[in-house]
Amino acid sequence: MLERRKAIATLMERRPKDLFVVPGLGSTTYDLASLGEKDSDFYLWGAMGGAAMIGLGLALAKPKLKIAVITGDGEMLMGMGSLATIGVQRPKNLAVIVFDNRRYGETGMQASHTDKGVDLVGVAKSCGIARAYDVEDEAGLKTLAGDLAGLNETLFARVHIAADDPTRVLPTKDGVELKNRFRRAVAAAG
C-alpha cells in the first residue's frame, strides 16, 4: 500500500504547466494542498461527487489543456455515473485518478464499497474507458506520473493507498477567490 502524501508528491513531481487538477472533496484536496496551493488547482468545497464531471466539462471546453481529477473512492462511488458519461465522451485530455483507501474518510473511516469488492477499474473499463489500470506500488505511480505528463487519451487509474488520516492541510475556503484565480489560470493557459 502506498502512503497518500508520498503518492501525491510523486504524482505531481513532474507536473507539466498545462496540467490542471480538480481534487475531490476531502482527503485528496488536503493531499494536493499539502504541496502548496496553485492557481491551476480547483478545490471543491461542498461539491462531493462532482469532481469527475467538473473535470469532464473543463476537458471538453479546453481541449489543449491536460485535466486530472484526483479524488477518493468515496467520492468516486458517489459520482459513479460520471464514468459512463466520460466513457461516452472520452476526451483525450482527461485523467481520473482515484486514491482508494477503501474507507469513507470524511465520515469516520467506515469501510467503503471498494472494501467489499466493488472494482472501480472494472467499472471504468465497462463504461468505455479502455486505458484503466491499478497502481499498487511506487513504480506504478511513476508510470502514472509519466502518463499524466504525456496524456493523450482518456485515462482512469486506481491508486491503492493505506487507510491513514494524515494532518489536514486546508486550502483557501473562499469560493469566489478559488473560482476567480482558477479562471485566470485557465484563461492565461489558453
Side-chain angles (χ1 to χ4, degrees):
M1 292 278 174
L2 293 160
E3 187 180 314
R4 61 183 320 126
R5 291 287 162 81
K6 288 183 180 176
I8 195 77
T10 299
L11 202 54
M12 294 291 111
E13 190 173 68
R14 297 183 314 155
R15 180 179 179 169
K17 289 184 178 182
D18 61 346
L19 179 66
F20 285 70
V21 180
V22 181
L25 180 69
S27 297
T28 51
T29 281
Y30 314 142
D31 295 337
L32 192 62
S34 75
L35 302 175
E37 289 189 53
K38 291 186 173 33
D39 292 351
S40 54
D41 298 337
F42 190 59
Y43 304 101
L44 300 180
W45 291 110
M48 190 164 195
M53 292 308 283
I54 290 171
L56 173 62
L58 187 58
L60 293 173
K62 294 292 183 181
K64 292 181 180 175
L65 301 179
K66 295 179 178 86
I67 312 300
V69 172
I70 303 175
T71 192
D73 52 308
E75 176 167 339
M76 192 72 259
L77 288 163
M78 182 178 245
M80 193 153 27
S82 63
L83 290 177
T85 304
I86 291 169
V88 168
Q89 293 289 327
R90 285 193 293 268
K92 295 178 179 180
N93 59 334
L94 177 64
V96 177
I97 299 165
V98 176
F99 276 22
D100 186 358
N101 65 357
R102 302 181 314 185
R103 296 288 180 269
Y104 292 107
E106 291 304 299
T107 58
M109 301 297 276
Q110 301 90 347
S112 78
H113 293 20
T114 61
D115 190 58
K116 306 296 182 199
V118 171
D119 177 7
L120 292 174
V121 170
V123 171
K125 285 182 178 177
S126 65
C127 286
I129 303 172
R131 192 169 187 193
Y133 56 86
D134 279 305
V135 174
E136 308 269 355
D137 55 24
E138 188 70 18
L141 202 55
K142 288 183 179 180
T143 297
L144 176 57
D147 287 348
L148 266 182
L151 188 63
N152 61 7
E153 69 178 298
T154 307
L155 168 68
F156 181 93
R158 175 179 49 192
V159 178
H160 293 265
I161 59 167
D164 60 357
D165 191 19
T167 302
R168 293 180 177 186
V169 178
L170 304 178
T172 296
K173 288 186 175 180
D174 183 335
V176 173
E177 172 59 21
L178 288 170
K179 175 193 71 174
N180 288 339
R181 75 183 192 191
F182 189 75
R183 281 183 171 176
R184 286 191 300 268
V186 168

